[in-house]
Amino acid sequence: EARDGPVRVSLQLRPKHLALLHLFNKLWDTTNLIPKWSGQYIIFMSIVTKTGDQGDTSLWSEERVGKDDLRVEAYGTIDEFSSNLGVARHLCLQDDVLYAIEDIQRLCFRIAGELASKANPFDRPIKPSDEAVVSAKIQALEVRILLTGFVLPGMTQGSAALDVARTVLRRAERRIVALSRKEPVSPELMRLVNRLSDYIFMLARAEEKAAGTLRFF
């Protein structure tokens, strides 16, 4: 319902969805999407908070840090990666690739949440089982798609978008490694990010194989 002041939306949200809304608020201080219950309504406040106007931001774990902090750079690049996946999702044609992209985007929330947590641990950290699932999916793709040399990237619109997303993820990995030199970062998270790049690479090749455009150097 449009009106001045807070917007009231009648929704039934599960606790995990409320947690994700809270994560948005913590990661990007351009939002103020903390849900406030008012009877049957959830009230979302204005997106403008002005709390980051001086160049700092809040982590998930409440600390205020500079927006150029290594930790912010790391989870911010994960956000950039996920946004690029969103573009790829509108260009890819294979159903299994589309489902995989959405699964990876959901993992991105957890990766970013853990990176944005310092004093207090994130409530849904990356686990060894996450990396194991991704590794198994890579192996399944390798059985289907025989790689015989260096791949020429971007042979379809979807694969090109995935390759761009992959290079953004590699940049995110470099930011995470830089952060790990100064502050603790879980090895499970670092392994998963590394594995996701391989997964994205194979998903791009799946798009090309289906289109008959897979090419090697």
Side-chain angles (χ1 to χ4, degrees):
E1 179 181 349
R3 64 181 69 189
D4 292 334
V7 177
R8 299 177 183 272
V9 183
S10 181
L11 295 173
Q12 294 292 326
L13 294 185
R14 298 178 180 178
K16 67 177 182 180
H17 296 146
L18 293 176
L20 289 177
L21 289 170
H22 186 64
L23 174 59
F24 269 123
N25 187 72
K26 292 300 181 183
L27 296 189
W28 295 280
D29 54 31
T30 55
T31 69
N32 186 20
L33 293 178
I34 290 294
K36 303 179 186 301
W37 290 99
S38 176
Q40 64 176 336
Y41 294 103
I42 302 172
I43 302 174
F44 297 92
M45 306 305 290
S46 169
I47 64 169
V48 179
T49 67
K50 302 182 181 179
T51 59
D53 288 353
Q54 301 304 312
D56 57 358
T57 187
S58 289
L59 298 178
W60 169 269
S61 50
E62 305 290 349
E63 299 92 342
R64 296 290 294 179
V65 297
K67 290 184 176 181
D68 57 350
D69 187 272
L70 275 176
R71 189 172 291 276
V72 178
E73 186 67 31
Y75 69 65
T77 312
I78 291 294
D79 177 38
E80 186 180 347
F81 164 60
S82 183
S83 296
N84 274 272
L85 284 181
V87 174
R89 191 148 48 93
H90 288 278
L91 297 172
C92 291
L93 301 176
Q94 304 308 305
D95 286 343
D96 57 339
V97 174
L98 295 174
Y99 290 131
I101 289 173
E102 184 171 334
D103 287 342
I104 295 168
Q105 286 183 302
R106 294 180 185 279
L107 276 176
C108 284
F109 280 110
R110 294 173 54 204
I111 294 169
E114 187 169 344
L115 289 170
S117 301
K118 197 170 182 179
N120 301 316
F122 186 58
D123 57 0
R124 296 180 63 196
I126 298 302
K127 300 178 181 179
S129 59
D130 296 311
E131 186 271 331
V133 168
V134 170
S135 291
K137 291 180 177 179
I138 293 171
Q139 291 171 3
L141 286 167
E142 288 177 327
V143 170
R144 288 170 43 199
I145 306 167
L146 181 63
L147 299 179
T148 59
F150 289 104
V151 172
L152 292 173
M155 290 298 166
T156 71
Q157 289 185 334
S159 69
L162 285 170
D163 282 322
V164 171
R166 173 178 53 83
T167 60
V168 173
L169 182 58
R170 285 300 189 192
R171 175 153 46 85
E173 183 180 17
R174 294 192 293 272
R175 301 295 188 266
I176 293 168
V177 169
L179 174 64
S180 73
R181 306 292 189 207
K182 297 180 177 294
E183 300 183 41
V185 176
S186 81
E188 291 83 8
L189 185 149
M190 294 182 69
R191 283 196 297 269
L192 177 63
V193 170
N194 188 29
R195 212 68 70 241
L196 282 175
S197 295
D198 298 331
Y199 190 21
I200 294 292
F201 177 85
M202 291 306 299
L203 290 173
R205 308 296 70 84
E207 282 286 313
E208 292 170 346
K209 180 175 175 61
T213 60
L214 182 59
R215 299 287 185 271
F216 298 98
F217 175 71

